[in-house]
Amino acid sequence: MLDNAPWAPLAASALTIVLILIIAWVLRRVAHRVITKVVNRAATGGSLTSRFRKGIAVDSIDALLNERRRQRAETMGSVLKSVASVVILGTAALTVLDRLTIPIAPLLTSVGILGVAVGFGAQELVKDFIAGMFMLLEDQYGVGDVIDAGAAVGTVEAVTLRITRLRDADGRVWYVRNGTISRVGNESQGWSRAYVDVPVPYDADLVSVRAVLEHLGEELWADTEFREAKIVETPQVFGVEQLSDSSLVFRVSVKTVPAAQAEVSRELRLRIKTALDEAGIPLVAG
């Protein structure tokens, strides 16, 4: 009989091992497919700037946010797939070893001790990875953003789970470990704001000054070069922002697309100087 054959137990064990490997492979494939579907769903979504006007500038913001959402979802998907593979294949390997009557208790004990040793030795590395994962999940910043990371201020050139690479205004490259970043100031996420302070004499006609600045803002809004690519709202005149010993300071503010505030500020200064000169209103040196 087959049950009494000397090779029957070996065949049964081999069949069991094959079934374990097949089940592990199927579970891994299913887990990866589920993660892929979740990632694809997370990578797509509606416009995040529907509260703004419709136009080329807003479309650019949407395209940037959608691309960042896609990259963030793909990165997290890759991490989840790796974790799923390690867990499933590791469990299958231990089950196979147990089926082959190889004691796994000493192995698990050794792995546990090794894990504790590595954990103590790599605390900073683990901290960096955990901080990097939360940074990606929360979309705190992305490539192209101008951020203040505490240790350095600059444009983000690369983001990994362990480090963030920045380039400052002097061209210096900074490598900042994610675990050391306790707070982040993002100057270019979603939208930015440009503002210019306009100091005028105390004896200036404030109504006329405000009218000139408001008219200038309307002209800038009507300029298609800026309206379609640089600014997302009509410039606003906040009125008298502060009083100094020699001047009254008006503030002009405009909401811009990310990282365009410097260019818009320069254009505002140029137009303000020209408009005030034409109206015969002098500026006071700061």
mmCIF file of all heavy atoms in Angstrom, residues 24-61:
data_model
loop_
_atom_site.group_PDB
_atom_site.id
_atom_site.type_symbol
_atom_site.label_atom_id
_atom_site.label_comp_id
_atom_site.label_asym_id
_atom_site.label_seq_id
_atom_site.Cartn_x
_atom_site.Cartn_y
_atom_site.Cartn_z
ATOM 1 N N ALA A 24 1.649 31.015 0.087
ATOM 2 C CA ALA A 24 2.388 32.251 0.359
ATOM 3 C C ALA A 24 2.475 33.113 -0.898
ATOM 4 O O ALA A 24 2.314 34.340 -0.839
ATOM 5 C CB ALA A 24 3.786 31.917 0.876
ATOM 6 N N TRP A 25 2.728 32.461 -2.041
ATOM 7 C CA TRP A 25 2.830 33.215 -3.298
ATOM 8 C C TRP A 25 1.497 33.863 -3.649
ATOM 9 O O TRP A 25 1.452 35.036 -4.053
ATOM 10 C CB TRP A 25 3.269 32.265 -4.419
ATOM 11 C CG TRP A 25 3.397 32.927 -5.755
ATOM 12 C CD1 TRP A 25 4.431 33.688 -6.209
ATOM 13 C CD2 TRP A 25 2.441 32.891 -6.814
ATOM 14 N NE1 TRP A 25 4.190 34.129 -7.481
ATOM 15 C CE2 TRP A 25 2.977 33.651 -7.882
ATOM 16 C CE3 TRP A 25 1.203 32.288 -6.975
ATOM 17 C CZ2 TRP A 25 2.287 33.824 -9.078
ATOM 18 C CZ3 TRP A 25 0.522 32.450 -8.164
ATOM 19 C CH2 TRP A 25 1.063 33.216 -9.205
ATOM 20 N N VAL A 26 0.400 33.101 -3.469
ATOM 21 C CA VAL A 26 -0.931 33.639 -3.765
ATOM 22 C C VAL A 26 -1.268 34.801 -2.824
ATOM 23 O O VAL A 26 -1.763 35.855 -3.263
ATOM 24 C CB VAL A 26 -1.993 32.529 -3.657
ATOM 25 C CG1 VAL A 26 -3.399 33.136 -3.749
ATOM 26 C CG2 VAL A 26 -1.797 31.494 -4.749
ATOM 27 N N LEU A 27 -0.986 34.615 -1.524
ATOM 28 C CA LEU A 27 -1.274 35.692 -0.570
ATOM 29 C C LEU A 27 -0.464 36.942 -0.895
ATOM 30 O O LEU A 27 -0.977 38.069 -0.795
ATOM 31 C CB LEU A 27 -0.947 35.212 0.852
ATOM 32 C CG LEU A 27 -1.917 34.203 1.466
ATOM 33 C CD1 LEU A 27 -1.430 33.769 2.843
ATOM 34 C CD2 LEU A 27 -3.327 34.784 1.569
ATOM 35 N N ARG A 28 0.795 36.742 -1.304
ATOM 36 C CA ARG A 28 1.630 37.892 -1.650
ATOM 37 C C ARG A 28 1.065 38.620 -2.869
ATOM 38 O O ARG A 28 1.010 39.853 -2.900
ATOM 39 C CB ARG A 28 3.057 37.424 -1.921
ATOM 40 C CG ARG A 28 4.034 38.542 -2.286
ATOM 41 C CD ARG A 28 5.440 37.985 -2.413
ATOM 42 N NE ARG A 28 6.378 39.017 -2.840
ATOM 43 C CZ ARG A 28 6.625 39.322 -4.111
ATOM 44 N NH1 ARG A 28 5.999 38.652 -5.084
ATOM 45 N NH2 ARG A 28 7.489 40.276 -4.423
ATOM 46 N N ARG A 29 0.643 37.858 -3.883
ATOM 47 C CA ARG A 29 0.060 38.468 -5.071
ATOM 48 C C ARG A 29 -1.213 39.237 -4.725
ATOM 49 O O ARG A 29 -1.442 40.364 -5.200
ATOM 50 C CB ARG A 29 -0.240 37.402 -6.130
ATOM 51 C CG ARG A 29 0.988 36.801 -6.790
ATOM 52 C CD ARG A 29 1.684 37.841 -7.660
ATOM 53 N NE ARG A 29 0.823 38.351 -8.708
ATOM 54 C CZ ARG A 29 0.691 37.801 -9.920
ATOM 55 N NH1 ARG A 29 1.389 36.709 -10.217
ATOM 56 N NH2 ARG A 29 -0.094 38.345 -10.826
ATOM 57 N N VAL A 30 -2.071 38.624 -3.900
ATOM 58 C CA VAL A 30 -3.322 39.275 -3.509
ATOM 59 C C VAL A 30 -3.041 40.554 -2.720
ATOM 60 O O VAL A 30 -3.665 41.601 -2.964
ATOM 61 C CB VAL A 30 -4.188 38.310 -2.674
ATOM 62 C CG1 VAL A 30 -5.389 39.044 -2.073
ATOM 63 C CG2 VAL A 30 -4.671 37.145 -3.531
ATOM 64 N N ALA A 31 -2.094 40.465 -1.773
ATOM 65 C CA ALA A 31 -1.753 41.644 -0.982
ATOM 66 C C ALA A 31 -1.232 42.771 -1.867
ATOM 67 O O ALA A 31 -1.607 43.934 -1.711
ATOM 68 C CB ALA A 31 -0.720 41.278 0.083
ATOM 69 N N HIS A 32 -0.385 42.419 -2.843
ATOM 70 C CA HIS A 32 0.160 43.434 -3.743
ATOM 71 C C HIS A 32 -0.927 44.044 -4.618
ATOM 72 O O HIS A 32 -0.916 45.260 -4.887
ATOM 73 C CB HIS A 32 1.261 42.820 -4.614
ATOM 74 C CG HIS A 32 2.567 42.669 -3.894
ATOM 75 N ND1 HIS A 32 3.779 42.602 -4.532
ATOM 76 C CD2 HIS A 32 2.847 42.575 -2.572
ATOM 77 C CE1 HIS A 32 4.748 42.475 -3.647
ATOM 78 N NE2 HIS A 32 4.205 42.446 -2.445
ATOM 79 N N ARG A 33 -1.877 43.216 -5.065
ATOM 80 C CA ARG A 33 -2.967 43.744 -5.895
ATOM 81 C C ARG A 33 -3.857 44.685 -5.089
ATOM 82 O O ARG A 33 -4.270 45.741 -5.577
ATOM 83 C CB ARG A 33 -3.805 42.595 -6.475
ATOM 84 C CG ARG A 33 -3.085 41.809 -7.557
ATOM 85 C CD ARG A 33 -3.964 40.642 -8.030
ATOM 86 N NE ARG A 33 -5.166 41.129 -8.674
ATOM 87 C CZ ARG A 33 -5.269 41.421 -9.965
ATOM 88 N NH1 ARG A 33 -4.211 41.284 -10.754
ATOM 89 N NH2 ARG A 33 -6.414 41.828 -10.481
ATOM 90 N N VAL A 34 -4.139 44.316 -3.838
ATOM 91 C CA VAL A 34 -4.960 45.176 -2.982
ATOM 92 C C VAL A 34 -4.238 46.495 -2.726
ATOM 93 O O VAL A 34 -4.840 47.578 -2.805
ATOM 94 C CB VAL A 34 -5.275 44.465 -1.652
ATOM 95 C CG1 VAL A 34 -5.929 45.437 -0.668
ATOM 96 C CG2 VAL A 34 -6.195 43.268 -1.898
ATOM 97 N N ILE A 35 -2.939 46.422 -2.424
ATOM 98 C CA ILE A 35 -2.164 47.642 -2.173
ATOM 99 C C ILE A 35 -2.136 48.517 -3.421
ATOM 100 O O ILE A 35 -2.263 49.744 -3.346
ATOM 101 C CB ILE A 35 -0.742 47.279 -1.715
ATOM 102 C CG1 ILE A 35 -0.784 46.632 -0.337
ATOM 103 C CG2 ILE A 35 0.152 48.524 -1.691
ATOM 104 C CD1 ILE A 35 0.549 46.069 0.122
ATOM 105 N N THR A 36 -1.978 47.881 -4.599
ATOM 106 C CA THR A 36 -1.953 48.642 -5.847
ATOM 107 C C THR A 36 -3.279 49.373 -6.070
ATOM 108 O O THR A 36 -3.298 50.545 -6.476
ATOM 109 C CB THR A 36 -1.667 47.714 -7.036
ATOM 110 O OG1 THR A 36 -0.382 47.101 -6.859
ATOM 111 C CG2 THR A 36 -1.668 48.490 -8.345
ATOM 112 N N LYS A 37 -4.404 48.702 -5.796
ATOM 113 C CA LYS A 37 -5.703 49.345 -5.962
ATOM 114 C C LYS A 37 -5.873 50.519 -5.001
ATOM 115 O O LYS A 37 -6.377 51.582 -5.373
ATOM 116 C CB LYS A 37 -6.823 48.327 -5.747
ATOM 117 C CG LYS A 37 -6.960 47.305 -6.870
ATOM 118 C CD LYS A 37 -8.139 46.378 -6.632
ATOM 119 C CE LYS A 37 -8.307 45.400 -7.799
ATOM 120 N NZ LYS A 37 -9.456 44.490 -7.584
ATOM 121 N N VAL A 38 -5.435 50.312 -3.754
ATOM 122 C CA VAL A 38 -5.534 51.390 -2.768
ATOM 123 C C VAL A 38 -4.660 52.563 -3.182
ATOM 124 O O VAL A 38 -5.062 53.730 -3.083
ATOM 125 C CB VAL A 38 -5.135 50.875 -1.368
ATOM 126 C CG1 VAL A 38 -5.055 52.032 -0.373
ATOM 127 C CG2 VAL A 38 -6.130 49.836 -0.881
ATOM 128 N N VAL A 39 -3.448 52.262 -3.674
ATOM 129 C CA VAL A 39 -2.533 53.318 -4.103
ATOM 130 C C VAL A 39 -3.119 54.085 -5.283
ATOM 131 O O VAL A 39 -3.073 55.323 -5.333
ATOM 132 C CB VAL A 39 -1.160 52.722 -4.469
ATOM 133 C CG1 VAL A 39 -0.302 53.737 -5.229
ATOM 134 C CG2 VAL A 39 -0.437 52.267 -3.213
ATOM 135 N N ASN A 40 -3.663 53.368 -6.255
ATOM 136 C CA ASN A 40 -4.263 54.032 -7.420
ATOM 137 C C ASN A 40 -5.429 54.915 -7.024
ATOM 138 O O ASN A 40 -5.618 56.010 -7.571
ATOM 139 C CB ASN A 40 -4.712 52.992 -8.440
ATOM 140 C CG ASN A 40 -3.553 52.273 -9.108
ATOM 141 O OD1 ASN A 40 -2.438 52.791 -9.134
ATOM 142 N ND2 ASN A 40 -3.805 51.093 -9.635
ATOM 143 N N ARG A 41 -6.215 54.455 -6.058
ATOM 144 C CA ARG A 41 -7.340 55.275 -5.599
ATOM 145 C C ARG A 41 -6.845 56.502 -4.849
ATOM 146 O O ARG A 41 -7.400 57.595 -4.992
ATOM 147 C CB ARG A 41 -8.247 54.442 -4.694
ATOM 148 C CG ARG A 41 -9.482 55.175 -4.201
ATOM 149 C CD ARG A 41 -10.414 54.246 -3.458
ATOM 150 N NE ARG A 41 -10.876 53.156 -4.315
ATOM 151 C CZ ARG A 41 -11.668 52.176 -3.886
ATOM 152 N NH1 ARG A 41 -12.077 52.149 -2.624
ATOM 153 N NH2 ARG A 41 -12.046 51.218 -4.720
ATOM 154 N N ALA A 42 -5.782 56.317 -4.042
ATOM 155 C CA ALA A 42 -5.231 57.453 -3.296
ATOM 156 C C ALA A 42 -4.534 58.442 -4.219
ATOM 157 O O ALA A 42 -4.455 59.635 -3.917
ATOM 158 C CB ALA A 42 -4.263 56.958 -2.229
ATOM 159 N N ALA A 43 -4.006 57.941 -5.351
ATOM 160 C CA ALA A 43 -3.261 58.807 -6.269
ATOM 161 C C ALA A 43 -4.163 59.666 -7.125
ATOM 162 O O ALA A 43 -3.712 60.613 -7.769
ATOM 163 C CB ALA A 43 -2.359 57.965 -7.170
ATOM 164 N N THR A 44 -5.457 59.361 -7.168
ATOM 165 C CA THR A 44 -6.408 60.144 -7.961
ATOM 166 C C THR A 44 -7.390 60.811 -7.026
ATOM 167 O O THR A 44 -7.693 60.319 -5.941
ATOM 168 C CB THR A 44 -7.177 59.244 -8.947
ATOM 169 O OG1 THR A 44 -7.882 58.223 -8.213
ATOM 170 C CG2 THR A 44 -6.220 58.587 -9.931
ATOM 171 N N GLY A 45 -7.884 61.937 -7.434
ATOM 172 C CA GLY A 45 -8.843 62.665 -6.597
ATOM 173 C C GLY A 45 -9.264 63.939 -7.279
ATOM 174 O O GLY A 45 -8.740 64.315 -8.334
ATOM 175 N N GLY A 46 -10.215 64.598 -6.684
ATOM 176 C CA GLY A 46 -10.722 65.836 -7.248
ATOM 177 C C GLY A 46 -9.770 66.984 -7.035
ATOM 178 O O GLY A 46 -8.737 66.878 -6.378
ATOM 179 N N SER A 47 -10.135 68.084 -7.605
ATOM 180 C CA SER A 47 -9.322 69.297 -7.495
ATOM 181 C C SER A 47 -9.275 69.773 -6.058
ATOM 182 O O SER A 47 -10.283 69.821 -5.362
ATOM 183 C CB SER A 47 -9.904 70.403 -8.386
ATOM 184 O OG SER A 47 -9.271 71.629 -8.109
ATOM 185 N N LEU A 48 -8.072 70.095 -5.603
ATOM 186 C CA LEU A 48 -7.905 70.630 -4.259
ATOM 187 C C LEU A 48 -7.991 72.146 -4.236
ATOM 188 O O LEU A 48 -7.923 72.759 -3.187
ATOM 189 C CB LEU A 48 -6.539 70.198 -3.709
ATOM 190 C CG LEU A 48 -6.341 68.686 -3.537
ATOM 191 C CD1 LEU A 48 -4.960 68.419 -2.964
ATOM 192 C CD2 LEU A 48 -7.408 68.080 -2.658
ATOM 193 N N THR A 49 -8.173 72.763 -5.402
ATOM 194 C CA THR A 49 -8.184 74.216 -5.465
ATOM 195 C C THR A 49 -9.502 74.725 -6.031
ATOM 196 O O THR A 49 -9.557 75.757 -6.682
ATOM 197 C CB THR A 49 -7.024 74.718 -6.342
ATOM 198 O OG1 THR A 49 -7.108 74.097 -7.622
ATOM 199 C CG2 THR A 49 -5.692 74.391 -5.718
ATOM 200 N N SER A 50 -10.568 73.991 -5.789
ATOM 201 C CA SER A 50 -11.868 74.385 -6.331
ATOM 202 C C SER A 50 -12.337 75.702 -5.723
ATOM 203 O O SER A 50 -13.195 76.364 -6.283
ATOM 204 C CB SER A 50 -12.894 73.281 -6.055
ATOM 205 O OG SER A 50 -12.989 73.027 -4.667
ATOM 206 N N ARG A 51 -11.766 76.064 -4.573
ATOM 207 C CA ARG A 51 -12.178 77.323 -3.952
ATOM 208 C C ARG A 51 -11.593 78.516 -4.675
ATOM 209 O O ARG A 51 -11.959 79.651 -4.391
ATOM 210 C CB ARG A 51 -11.740 77.335 -2.484
ATOM 211 C CG ARG A 51 -10.242 77.247 -2.290
ATOM 212 C CD ARG A 51 -9.912 77.143 -0.806
ATOM 213 N NE ARG A 51 -8.489 77.056 -0.565
ATOM 214 C CZ ARG A 51 -7.791 75.957 -0.635
ATOM 215 N NH1 ARG A 51 -8.385 74.829 -0.985
ATOM 216 N NH2 ARG A 51 -6.488 75.944 -0.375
ATOM 217 N N PHE A 52 -10.605 78.296 -5.579
ATOM 218 C CA PHE A 52 -10.022 79.380 -6.351
ATOM 219 C C PHE A 52 -10.785 79.521 -7.654
ATOM 220 O O PHE A 52 -11.589 78.684 -8.042
ATOM 221 C CB PHE A 52 -8.549 79.098 -6.648
ATOM 222 C CG PHE A 52 -7.694 79.015 -5.410
ATOM 223 C CD1 PHE A 52 -6.625 78.138 -5.346
ATOM 224 C CD2 PHE A 52 -7.966 79.811 -4.316
ATOM 225 C CE1 PHE A 52 -5.840 78.067 -4.223
ATOM 226 C CE2 PHE A 52 -7.179 79.753 -3.180
ATOM 227 C CZ PHE A 52 -6.117 78.879 -3.132
ATOM 228 N N ARG A 53 -10.503 80.573 -8.361
ATOM 229 C CA ARG A 53 -11.094 80.763 -9.668
ATOM 230 C C ARG A 53 -10.549 79.731 -10.638
ATOM 231 O O ARG A 53 -9.472 79.166 -10.446
ATOM 232 C CB ARG A 53 -10.750 82.166 -10.204
ATOM 233 C CG ARG A 53 -9.256 82.329 -10.432
ATOM 234 C CD ARG A 53 -8.918 83.624 -11.110
ATOM 235 N NE ARG A 53 -7.481 83.711 -11.288
ATOM 236 C CZ ARG A 53 -6.817 83.183 -12.278
ATOM 237 N NH1 ARG A 53 -7.440 82.472 -13.197
ATOM 238 N NH2 ARG A 53 -5.500 83.321 -12.382
ATOM 239 N N LYS A 54 -11.259 79.485 -11.719
ATOM 240 C CA LYS A 54 -10.791 78.569 -12.745
ATOM 241 C C LYS A 54 -9.891 79.306 -13.723
ATOM 242 O O LYS A 54 -10.203 80.399 -14.152
ATOM 243 C CB LYS A 54 -11.975 77.943 -13.492
ATOM 244 C CG LYS A 54 -12.800 77.007 -12.617
ATOM 245 C CD LYS A 54 -11.952 75.867 -12.109
ATOM 246 C CE LYS A 54 -12.748 74.934 -11.196
ATOM 247 N NZ LYS A 54 -11.904 73.862 -10.652
ATOM 248 N N GLY A 55 -8.797 78.686 -14.090
ATOM 249 C CA GLY A 55 -7.871 79.334 -15.003
ATOM 250 C C GLY A 55 -6.596 78.536 -15.102
ATOM 251 O O GLY A 55 -6.436 77.496 -14.474
ATOM 252 N N ILE A 56 -5.664 79.033 -15.903
ATOM 253 C CA ILE A 56 -4.425 78.302 -16.124
ATOM 254 C C ILE A 56 -3.620 78.191 -14.840
ATOM 255 O O ILE A 56 -3.013 77.173 -14.550
ATOM 256 C CB ILE A 56 -3.595 79.001 -17.220
ATOM 257 C CG1 ILE A 56 -4.361 78.949 -18.547
ATOM 258 C CG2 ILE A 56 -2.232 78.367 -17.381
ATOM 259 C CD1 ILE A 56 -3.668 79.674 -19.681
ATOM 260 N N ALA A 57 -3.580 79.278 -14.042
ATOM 261 C CA ALA A 57 -2.815 79.239 -12.801
ATOM 262 C C ALA A 57 -3.335 78.164 -11.865
ATOM 263 O O ALA A 57 -2.575 77.406 -11.271
ATOM 264 C CB ALA A 57 -2.865 80.612 -12.117
ATOM 265 N N VAL A 58 -4.660 78.085 -11.723
ATOM 266 C CA VAL A 58 -5.251 77.078 -10.857
ATOM 267 C C VAL A 58 -5.024 75.678 -11.416
ATOM 268 O O VAL A 58 -4.764 74.734 -10.679
ATOM 269 C CB VAL A 58 -6.756 77.359 -10.671
ATOM 270 C CG1 VAL A 58 -7.408 76.247 -9.880
ATOM 271 C CG2 VAL A 58 -6.942 78.682 -9.942
ATOM 272 N N ASP A 59 -5.122 75.531 -12.730
ATOM 273 C CA ASP A 59 -4.850 74.237 -13.330
ATOM 274 C C ASP A 59 -3.415 73.789 -13.048
ATOM 275 O O ASP A 59 -3.148 72.602 -12.831
ATOM 276 C CB ASP A 59 -5.076 74.295 -14.848
ATOM 277 C CG ASP A 59 -6.539 74.487 -15.195
ATOM 278 O OD1 ASP A 59 -7.378 74.182 -14.317
ATOM 279 O OD2 ASP A 59 -6.838 74.945 -16.313
ATOM 280 N N SER A 60 -2.492 74.732 -13.021
ATOM 281 C CA SER A 60 -1.098 74.410 -12.721
ATOM 282 C C SER A 60 -0.958 73.924 -11.286
ATOM 283 O O SER A 60 -0.232 72.976 -11.007
ATOM 284 C CB SER A 60 -0.203 75.639 -12.952
ATOM 285 O OG SER A 60 -0.258 76.053 -14.300
ATOM 286 N N ILE A 61 -1.678 74.597 -10.367
ATOM 287 C CA ILE A 61 -1.640 74.165 -8.968
ATOM 288 C C ILE A 61 -2.212 72.756 -8.843
ATOM 289 O O ILE A 61 -1.648 71.891 -8.169
ATOM 290 C CB ILE A 61 -2.423 75.149 -8.075
ATOM 291 C CG1 ILE A 61 -1.757 76.524 -8.106
ATOM 292 C CG2 ILE A 61 -2.499 74.635 -6.653
ATOM 293 C CD1 ILE A 61 -2.518 77.584 -7.341
#
